[in-house]
Structures are given as C-alpha cells and as structure tokens.
Amino acid sequence: YDVTKQRLQCAPLDDRERAPALMARILREEGVRGLYRGALVTLVTYVPFSGIYFATYETFKRALLGYEHALPGGHAAAAEGSSSLVRVDEAQARERESRRAAACFVSAIGAGAIGAATTQPIDVIKTRIQVGREGMERSKHVPSMTATLVETYKAHGYRVFFRGTLARVLGTAPGCGVSMMLFEAAMPRLAFLGGGKTRRSTVAY
C-alpha cells in the first residue's frame, strides 16, 4: 500500500484515479513486483528509524520521569519497590498519571521528530524508487538504491535528500506521540489483567 500511497500523493491534482484503480493498473502494467517496488529500501529506512526512535524515546522519558517512574506501570512500579508506601487519594493518583501521560507524549513526539529527520535522506531515495523516474515515468526495471542515490545527487545536489524533512516530521511525530501515550497507559492495565494481581491504590511520592 505504501507504493500506492506515494504515487497518489505525487500524481497531478487533476488526476482522479483512486487507490483501487491505481493498484489494479500497477498489477496490470508492472505485475505483483510493482506493489513491492522499493521493499528493500523501505526496510533500510524504517529499521534505523525504529532503533533511533525507541532509544531516543526511552532516553527522553527517563529524563522527564526518572528511571523508576519510566518503567511500565509508572508510579505503581516504583511503589512496589519502596518500603515507605503512602496512600494517596484518587485526585492525586490521576494527577500523577496525567503527568506521566504528558511526559510519554512529549518524549514520543521528540523521538519521532529526531527519527524522521535522521532517516529523511533514505526516505527520499525510497520515494523516488517507488514513484519512478522524475515522478511518473516508470519501467519494470527497478533501479538499485546506489544507482538512485548517485543519479539523484548528480541531478539535484545533496540538498534534495533533505527536501520534505519538515513535512515528514510533522506527519510522523504527532502519530508517535498519540500511539505511545495510549500504549503506556494500557500497559499497566494489561499487566494487571494478565497477572491476576490485585491492583494497588498506593503510589510512592
């Protein structure tokens, strides 16, 4: 679907071809391989992105929350390892959870932005392979990553590899923030359901 998305985004504004029709045309003109055009460079793009993203996310989260409170379960995990437990009311517990959710959201946005900006040059190569030469002219022969890199550099210089960086950051970072905030909020509840432990109402200061 990524090939279809990229080609729809690069199509002229007056082109009214929809995704199903485009996919059918790709299959007809390029075969099944056309839908997987640039699969290798896609892995080369997103594997480094994932490594940078999760490492940066954990670093930011621990900087904002501290090591113990950055663990899955947040403040509850810290409470179980503490000898002095203090019972707090529901309002305080909700406030702590809100602060942790905000820290996870901000950390994920920052990590997503860094990951997207760092891997932007590879994403440019991926997009050019998927879309085709100069936007629309394609053949069944898929150029290699190296050939695309050299050809693009000779034609446009090094700055082209950072074209669209802001758009990619703005498209990636918010989704990372929302997804990780929801994931971190769900983790303690899923662990509670799976482990069968009684949920504690105490947290550590």
Side-chain angles (χ1 to χ4, degrees):
Y1 298 108
D2 194 45
V3 172
T4 305
K5 176 182 74 72
Q6 298 288 4
R7 295 191 184 183
L8 285 173
Q9 290 177 334
C10 295
L13 293 177
D14 57 353
D15 188 343
R16 298 183 180 276
E17 187 174 31
R18 297 186 179 275
L22 177 58
M23 291 181 68
R25 182 161 64 83
I26 293 173
L27 285 171
R28 184 174 61 253
E29 296 177 357
E30 304 174 45
V32 176
R33 292 183 63 183
L35 294 176
Y36 292 91
R37 188 180 181 117
L40 177 60
V41 72
T42 299
L43 293 176
V44 175
T45 302
Y46 287 108
V47 169
F49 170 83
S50 298
I52 294 169
Y53 169 68
F54 284 109
T56 308
Y57 171 72
E58 288 297 329
T59 301
F60 285 169
K61 187 174 67 170
R62 291 179 182 182
L64 292 173
L65 296 173
Y67 179 79
E68 286 185 335
H69 297 302
L71 296 173
H75 298 286
E80 292 180 0
S82 175
S83 59
S84 57
L85 300 178
V86 181
R87 184 172 298 275
V88 295
D89 58 26
E90 291 294 331
Q92 288 176 308
R94 285 196 296 268
E95 182 182 354
R96 288 171 184 262
E97 289 182 2
S98 297
R99 285 202 299 265
R100 187 170 193 277
C104 292
F105 180 72
V106 171
S107 298
I109 284 183
I114 291 174
T118 303
T119 57
Q120 174 64 14
I122 312 175
D123 191 66
V124 169
I125 297 173
K126 175 185 76 72
T127 302
R128 287 179 173 267
I129 290 176
Q130 290 177 329
V131 173
R133 184 188 302 272
E134 295 303 325
M136 299 304 294
E137 185 183 327
R138 307 178 193 92
S139 66
K140 290 186 178 180
H141 171 69
V142 180
S144 66
M145 289 183 286
T146 304
T148 304
L149 187 153
V150 172
E151 182 181 350
T152 303
Y153 175 76
K154 287 182 177 179
H156 304 287
Y158 73 91
R159 290 186 178 180
V160 72
F161 296 110
F162 297 94
R163 183 181 295 174
T165 300
L166 179 59
R168 186 164 186 247
V169 167
L170 293 177
T172 302
C176 292
V178 173
S179 62
M180 290 307 296
M181 181 178 65
L182 295 176
F183 171 77
E184 293 279 6
M187 279 294 290
R189 293 164 176 79
L190 294 175
F192 166 68
L193 292 175
K197 295 181 181 179
T198 303
R199 192 172 182 181
R200 295 177 182 270
S201 59
T202 57
V203 296
Y205 279 110

